Amino acid sequence: MRGAPAVSLVGGTGMSALTVDYRNLLAIDEDEDGVDPERLDGDLGSRFRVAHRNVERARRSGSMGFLDLPGATEAPARIRRAAAGLHGRFDDFVVLGIGGSALGTRTLRDALGAGDPTFGARDAGGPHPRLHVADNIDPHSIGTLLDRLDMRRTFFNVVSKSGSTTETLAQYLVVAERLAREVGRDRAREHLLFTTDPERGPLRALAEAAGIPTLPVPGNVGGRFSVLSAVGLFPAAAAGLDVTAVLRGAARMERRCRTDELTRNPAGVVATLLYRADVECGQRVHVFMPYCDRLRSFALWVQQLWGESLGKAAGLGGRPAATGPTPLPAAGATDQHSLLQLFMEGPADKVVCFVTVDAADDPVPIGKAPASLPALEFPEGHTLNHLIAIEHAATAAALRTRSRPNLTVRLARLDAEALGELILLFQAATVYAGFLYGVDPLTQPGVELGKRYVHGLLGRPGYHPPGMEEANHPWQV
Amino acid sequence: MRGAPAVSLVGGTGMSALTVDYRNLLAIDEDEDGVDPERLDGDLGSRFRVAHRNVERARRSGSMGFLDLPGATEAPARIRRAAAGLHGRFDDFVVLGIGGSALGTRTLRDALGAGDPTFGARDAGGPHPRLHVADNIDPHSIGTLLDRLDMRRTFFNVVSKSGSTTETLAQYLVVAERLAREVGRDRAREHLLFTTDPERGPLRALAEAAGIPTLPVPGNVGGRFSVLSAVGLFPAAAAGLDVTAVLRGAARMERRCRTDELTRNPAGVVATLLYRADVECGQRVHVFMPYCDRLRSFALWVQQLWGESLGKAAGLGGRPAATGPTPLPAAGATDQHSLLQLFMEGPADKVVCFVTVDAADDPVPIGKAPASLPALEFPEGHTLNHLIAIEHAATAAALRTRSRPNLTVRLARLDAEALGELILLFQAATVYAGFLYGVDPLTQPGVELGKRYVHGLLGRPGYHPPGMEEANHPWQV
């Protein structure tokens, strides 16, 4: 394996924009820390092969629906038609949703929407609606947002797979009252679409009762794996983003992940090496650090995907130990001035997964330094594009020098296709990692207790969950 | 101690808006996990007393300058005058800075600026400039921001304590060229102010050479402790925020922290109990989770403060072990749908520090649920304000039920005074924790290696840091 030629980046049709560079996780020379490269074709390769086989088996049994979304044609066509119907009719498009119903949409908008937190594209047909994602029940945020909008020109997409998410239903009830007041109860349905389970749940029932249009989330696609379903694609398409290209990129990555040969499967490399760093070296904090502001939301999306999928009380087959790495989003170069000190000198309990973007279109030139700035060595002709690339390279090298492992997911450019590749890379890596850790990556049983307490507190005056004291206890200062 | 009366919230003059509730870190009943409350007056109280004495000693020797900022009068007056001079003359105010030069300003703006990421207040004198914080060198972000601004109506505050921060100087050189082009080289200085060390550094030298006005960062105030100096107060005042009230709140908390009695010192409680959870129980991930969108930036500010101050290779007195908790920012209720699964069922390596805001002014009523939404129990008259309070209470109780420790910093309201209290609480807790961990909380030696590599890569074509390979190596897929 040592000295093997660089593998081809062509996966399926067209050139992939994505490379995983894992050099800084390997012990290439005798005296280095890290994984012996021989193990990639040895025990680690074998373990990955088993995980890959389990994912393929689960896929055939129908539980890995997200892997089939990129190749779908009918559903995306329906989504695009629904989105096209809003063009010109609405100025603002608000997603009401939380967790997996919000993070994917934010990822698409922020990565592809010119860095504008209320992006809406302009094309020959005029401006697309601005895309807002209301991902909390903070009364100040919701109140401020709704006060700014003209209800007559605003469309609301209520997104909940189960149809019973308390926060999302509360948002909807706030909005429903405003719509009734400002556009009339009869016309409210023209401002609404529910994205929910095709067959069950309170939102589905309400839609049927009230004649509100819907789009389905396939039954075998869970919330945090749903960005390439109507959950993410409908809002993105409404804002004028190229969802077809996102799917094309995702399909390319899905094809690249069909091999069970570890060193040829990019998601396999990410999953296996992060898993191994945790269980063999106690590197249980997995940092996701893009050097690109437009990917800050992507880091939050990966955080949910990785954390909620792998953080489990008991493994498959009844393994008792609680497992799960802690995913930490960070932003380069910004957090070199916040977190790097801890990464360099603190406990050796972290692996950093960088994401970089090569493209240097729209270079921002750094002006000539005046003579009175002697400490500064900016040779003429530098750009911010060059500087941020250097900052990543220097940080990765400095971490490596201090035996702090890291890998880099490199995008040749940040466009819809490349983003699709990136999304599917981490979705596939997550389910591989689930089988490596021995947990079911598709569930989230640990959040039920908190939901029961919320329902108790909402429904019954005077109810207190066990262990919850009256406010006036002595243990406060 | 058991059953002691609730301590008074009055600290110094006026009523404090801030309470630290640490009930969910204690073993109140026999069969509970957590700290035996007797230890608060016993060994933990004694350890805190030593840490408090060390901080007081360091303060007398002049190295804890941040503790004296709230009581200053001359510097804030000068800052307010400088800010007042911009009112009406500029539409936009841009901070060029990174890390400690940006996070405090973002915290002030986002907490107090109505949740608007480009807030500028309006008063009798007309609108204050909108406040932007450029905290990265991402060419896309910087280019997009500058393209949107009218240089003739934009003011730039370059912030760097050392005056030699590469990213900030690069931003400045980009802006300087634009200013020269669009307002003329002679008039550029009217659009600039440097906030930097009063005596040394390249920015100081450049300011003197070019006649650019400056504000000082006191020599004994480090970047991440500088929000209450000109670093944070000048931009906040320029945007029309009430910096005097912020200082008043901070002064109140500073007075509350003068006692070395653990159970009466709010910052002492936070520092001692988080430290103890780490070193005794391996709870080394410290989650900072406000249930208030306006405090999301605050969580990032605490993350830098806690992580960079406590993450150190060697302790005072030559202790060899790398220490430092990993600070993880989170957002309630949003991240109940992202991170809570991991917190509840994953490894028991976390303590959650919640921050809540009681105030229910501007309630957002939740409309009546239609009959076709049977699964939903929203009794009439609920508000989003009530719901978010319930979500916090339920989450804290559920974590407690699963033996996952947590504490809550409760604000009676979110205004400038309360924010000042919150800021000083965590600054004081950080230096107490430094002495508890046995590290110097005021330094960041671990970032130097990366900076050397950046300078090498910037200055010398063909230079490669050790361990950094050519791009075309085989370890990529």
Side-chain angles (χ1 to χ4, degrees), chain A residues 39-128:
Chain A
R39 294 184 62 195
L40 300 173
D41 288 331
D43 68 315
L44 292 176
S46 303
R47 281 211 237 179
F48 172 66
R49 192 162 276 136
V50 174
H52 190 274
R53 191 183 312 140
N54 282 320
V55 169
E56 290 299 311
R57 186 177 298 142
R59 182 178 187 174
R60 282 194 302 275
S61 79
S63 68
M64 294 279 162
F66 77 92
L67 286 170
D68 299 323
L69 296 174
T73 50
E74 220 173 289
R78 185 174 161 196
I79 290 164
R80 280 193 306 266
R81 278 197 305 275
L86 310 180
H87 197 176
R89 291 174 51 213
F90 297 99
D91 299 329
D92 292 278
F93 181 113
V94 182
V95 172
L96 304 180
I98 198 164
S101 301
L103 286 162
T105 302
R106 285 180 59 187
T107 298
L108 295 173
R109 180 196 64 193
D110 295 346
L112 305 177
D116 179 350
T118 60
F119 178 77
R122 284 179 171 275
D123 61 22
H128 290 262

Side-chain angles (χ1 to χ4, degrees), chain A residues 173 178 190 288 333 362 421 443:
Chain A
L173 293 177
R178 293 227 186 189
E190 296 165 24
F288 297 99
D362 298 322
E421 291 193 71
T443 62

Side-chain angles (χ1 to χ4, degrees), chain A residues 4 20 138 141 293 334 341 446 474 477, chain B residues 4 20 138 141 293 341 446 474 477:
Chain A
V20 178
D138 182 310
S141 306
D293 286 341
T334 304
Q341 166 66 30
V477 55
Chain B
V20 177
D138 182 311
S141 305
D293 286 342
Q341 165 65 31
V477 54

Side-chain angles (χ1 to χ4, degrees), chain A residues 8-43:
Chain A
S8 163
L9 300 184
V10 181
T13 60
M15 196 70 165
S16 173
L18 187 152
T19 314
V20 178
D21 182 335
Y22 51 99
R23 163 72 177 74
N24 286 333
L25 274 158
L26 302 182
I28 308 286
D29 299 321
E30 299 293 319
D31 60 341
E32 285 181 317
D33 295 311
V35 184
D36 179 347
E38 306 283 352
R39 294 184 62 195
L40 300 173
D41 288 331
D43 68 315

Side-chain angles (χ1 to χ4, degrees), chain B residues 137-155:
Chain B
I137 46 167
D138 182 311
H140 186 273
S141 305
I142 299 284
T144 306
L145 173 64
L146 294 180
D147 287 347
R148 270 195 292 134
L149 300 173
D150 177 353
M151 285 289 126
R152 294 162 306 175
R153 300 281 299 171
T154 303
F155 189 83

Side-chain angles (χ1 to χ4, degrees), chain A residues 31-311:
Chain A
D31 60 341
E32 285 181 317
D33 295 311
V35 184
D36 179 347
E38 306 283 352
R39 294 184 62 195
L40 300 173
D41 288 331
D43 68 315
L44 292 176
S46 303
R47 281 211 237 179
F48 172 66
R49 192 162 276 136
V50 174
H52 190 274
R53 191 183 312 140
N54 282 320
V55 169
E56 290 299 311
R57 186 177 298 142
R59 182 178 187 174
R60 282 194 302 275
S61 79
S63 68
M64 294 279 162
F66 77 92
L67 286 170
D68 299 323
L69 296 174
T73 50
E74 220 173 289
R78 185 174 161 196
I79 290 164
R80 280 193 306 266
R81 278 197 305 275
L86 310 180
H87 197 176
R89 291 174 51 213
F90 297 99
D91 299 329
D92 292 278
F93 181 113
V94 182
V95 172
L96 304 180
I98 198 164
S101 301
L103 286 162
T105 302
R106 285 180 59 187
T107 298
L108 295 173
R109 180 196 64 193
D110 295 346
L112 305 177
D116 179 350
T118 60
F119 178 77
R122 284 179 171 275
D123 61 22
H128 290 262
R130 292 177 288 264
L131 176 52
H132 312 265
V133 180
D135 65 351
N136 203 354
I137 46 167
D138 182 310
H140 186 274
S141 306
I142 299 285
T144 306
L145 173 63
L146 294 180
D147 287 347
R148 270 194 292 135
L149 299 173
D150 177 353
M151 286 291 126
R152 293 163 305 177
R153 299 281 300 170
T154 303
F155 190 84
F156 293 92
N157 181 203
V158 186
V159 185
S160 167
K161 171 76 188 294
S162 69
S164 61
T165 311
T166 301
E167 295 86 348
T168 306
L169 294 179
Q171 290 180 333
Y172 167 69
L173 293 177
V174 170
V175 162
E177 194 153 278
R178 293 227 186 189
L179 279 174
R181 203 167 57 224
E182 297 182 33
V183 308
R185 208 165 285 277
D186 296 343
R187 309 203 59 176
R189 75 174 65 96
E190 296 165 24
H191 295 254
L192 288 165
L193 185 146
F194 293 172
T195 304
T196 190
D197 189 277
E199 288 169 10
R200 55 186 68 82
L203 276 184
R204 171 66 49 192
L206 177 60
E208 286 170 9
I212 294 166
T214 63
L215 283 168
V217 193
N220 63 352
V221 174
R224 60 186 174 274
F225 289 91
S226 68
V227 56
L228 301 181
S229 75
V231 171
L233 297 188
F234 175 55
L241 299 175
D242 185 355
V243 300
T244 308
V246 173
L247 291 172
R248 197 160 56 233
R252 177 176 298 141
M253 181 55 66
E254 187 274 316
R255 285 191 298 271
R256 288 183 71 190
C257 293
R258 285 186 194 167
T259 176
D260 65 356
E261 193 180 328
L262 177 57
T263 54
R264 291 182 54 227
N265 186 317
V269 165
V270 170
T272 307
L273 294 182
L274 290 182
Y275 160 75
R276 178 260 163 203
D278 180 355
V279 297
E280 291 187 7
C281 307
Q283 287 149 354
R284 59 166 62 164
V285 177
H286 294 173
V287 181
F288 297 99
M289 187 167 181
Y291 271 70
C292 176
D293 286 341
R294 285 166 290 165
L295 292 174
R296 289 190 189 212
S297 296
F298 163 78
L300 295 173
W301 174 82
V302 173
Q303 181 185 39
Q304 185 207 20
L305 190 64
W306 204 246
E308 201 169 51
S309 300
L310 305 178

